[in-house]
Amino acid sequence: MGGDYFWIRFEDVSIKARISARAKYLQLLVSTEGILELVQPLSCKAEQAQQFLRAQTDWIKRQAHKLATLRQASIYTWPKIESGVFLPFLGQANRLSLEINSTIRAPVIHHCSTTNQIRLQVRNPHTHYDKILIKWLKNAALEQVTQGVADYGLILKRLPTRIQVKQYRRRWGSLSSNNDLSVHWRLIFAPASVLKYVVLHEMCHLFYRNHGQRFYQLLAKHMPEYRDEEAWLRNQGFLLNFPILPTQIHVKNQHSNGDWLSKTYGIEG
Ligand SMILES: [Zn+2]
């Protein structure tokens, strides 16, 4: 079980600590939600953990500072929905215009990539704007992923059996043993190149199931700059996990034998 955690207050920094039966070492990391986490093996005593934290004081302070700075400058937030607010979409802040149109039955949404505007039309006010927008965003994510799969499919000459967008905690995508390709829908907020990278990454798993040398050779062949996208996810990916609705804030953290994302330890730059 890796689900239970407790908070430690250390030098003005909040650290989420959990005791893990699987962990072999004391470990500090920045989670995919942008939270400093301490993983403590079962056998580790509280004093040992404290000692470890003290030894890492500088690192902890540096990481906490970077996280706070990134958050402040981030376009990745969800505002209270009204006309004129900004929504993140494909790496850009898009101005939302909200219009009432009594002649339409279902909500209509248009995105204009040249003006970075999202136009939402509804029949009457007091609609669940968040729900409508999220549904549209998930759909847009699926469209982008489908397009990416089609593009790379032509080059790679292999296709997944199914394409899905999902909600993940600790990964951005996966390819199942029956070649179902899934991508985290929140990548629709990220720059388009990042989403493309995740699609290509999972499609390279159609050839190699592991993350060995040949896997990365194939990846690099079709996306020479893939390291930039990986770095983006490692350093800023957590920003995509901003809260949208109070009911969607996660309070529990699940342990996962995750994909490449579990390599995340700290943030750079
Ligand atoms: Zn992978």
Side-chain angles (χ1 to χ4, degrees), residues 201-202 205 209-211 215 259-260:
H201 178 115
E202 299 310 336
H205 281 316
R209 291 279 157 188
N210 52 30
H211 296 115
F215 170 85
D259 205 349
W260 43 276

Side-chain angles (χ1 to χ4, degrees), residues 96-126:
L96 178 79
S97 70
L98 193 58
E99 294 162 27
I100 310 299
N101 182 344
S102 57
T103 65
I104 53 166
R105 281 178 164 211
V108 180
I109 305 182
H110 280 294
H111 171 246
C112 177
S113 56
T114 45
T115 58
N116 283 337
Q117 277 199 317
I118 295 171
R119 186 169 165 224
L120 166 61
Q121 290 176 281
V122 290
R123 191 185 169 85
N124 44 45
H126 313 294

Side-chain angles (χ1 to χ4, degrees), residues 73-77 84-96 111-118 189:
S74 173
I75 62 157
Y76 303 104
T77 56
V85 296
F86 286 91
L87 293 175
F89 186 77
L90 291 172
Q92 307 276 342
N94 284 258
R95 187 185 282 277
L96 178 79
H111 171 246
C112 177
S113 56
T114 45
T115 58
N116 283 337
Q117 277 199 317
I118 295 171
F189 298 126

Side-chain angles (χ1 to χ4, degrees), residues 46-61:
E47 306 94 81
Q48 285 176 295
Q50 278 298 326
Q51 209 174 11
F52 175 64
L53 289 179
R54 273 197 298 276
Q56 300 296 330
T57 305
D58 285 348
W59 187 88
I60 292 168
K61 284 186 173 173

Side-chain angles (χ1 to χ4, degrees), residues 57-255:
T57 305
D58 285 348
W59 187 88
I60 292 168
K61 284 186 173 173
R62 258 198 329 268
Q63 293 293 327
H65 178 72
K66 279 180 201 164
L67 289 168
T69 312
L70 277 169
R71 277 220 172 83
Q72 255 168 24
S74 173
I75 62 157
Y76 303 104
T77 56
W78 192 260
K80 186 181 172 300
I81 299 302
E82 55 193 7
S83 244
V85 296
F86 286 91
L87 293 175
F89 186 77
L90 291 172
Q92 307 276 342
N94 284 258
R95 187 185 282 277
L96 178 79
S97 70
L98 193 58
E99 294 162 27
I100 310 299
N101 182 344
S102 57
T103 65
I104 53 166
R105 281 178 164 211
V108 180
I109 305 182
H110 280 294
H111 171 246
C112 177
S113 56
T114 45
T115 58
N116 283 337
Q117 277 199 317
I118 295 171
R119 186 169 165 224
L120 166 61
Q121 290 176 281
V122 290
R123 191 185 169 85
N124 44 45
H126 313 294
T127 323
H128 297 288
Y129 303 121
D130 302 270
K131 268 191 192 165
I132 296 166
L133 284 163
I134 289 163
K135 194 175 158 198
W136 175 74
L137 284 161
K138 285 182 177 172
N139 237 332
L142 185 61
E143 268 174 32
Q144 291 284 326
V145 175
T146 306
Q147 187 59 54
V149 168
D151 292 346
Y152 286 119
L154 284 174
I155 305 166
L156 295 170
K157 309 265 186 277
R158 268 189 213 185
L159 288 170
T161 38
R162 207 154 64 114
I163 304 166
Q164 286 173 287
V165 292
K166 279 190 184 175
Q167 168 85 35
Y168 284 113
R169 294 269 169 88
R170 282 173 180 258
R171 50 167 72 190
W172 298 111
S174 75
L175 186 81
S176 75
S177 51
N178 19 321
N179 291 342
D180 287 347
L181 185 144
S182 311
V183 168
H184 195 327
W185 71 272
R186 282 188 180 233
L187 283 166
I188 194 63
F189 298 126
S193 58
V194 175
L195 189 145
K196 261 192 186 157
Y197 159 74
V198 175
V199 171
L200 178 61
H201 178 115
E202 299 310 336
M203 283 186 75
C204 288
H205 281 316
L206 290 168
F207 297 83
Y208 306 107
R209 291 279 157 188
N210 52 30
H211 296 115
Q213 209 182 349
R214 295 208 290 176
F215 170 85
Y216 278 107
Q217 273 166 3
L218 182 64
L219 191 56
K221 190 179 158 193
H222 300 291
M223 191 179 275
E225 71 294 354
Y226 79 90
R227 281 196 180 85
D228 295 343
E229 316 307 336
E230 268 191 355
W232 194 96
L233 285 170
R234 193 166 56 242
N235 296 328
Q236 302 191 49
F238 76 91
L239 293 172
L240 304 181
N241 286 320
F242 54 85
I244 290 183
L245 296 167
T247 48
Q248 287 195 346
I249 297 172
H250 305 305
V251 286
K252 275 222 164 185
N253 222 330
Q254 260 175 7
H255 204 77

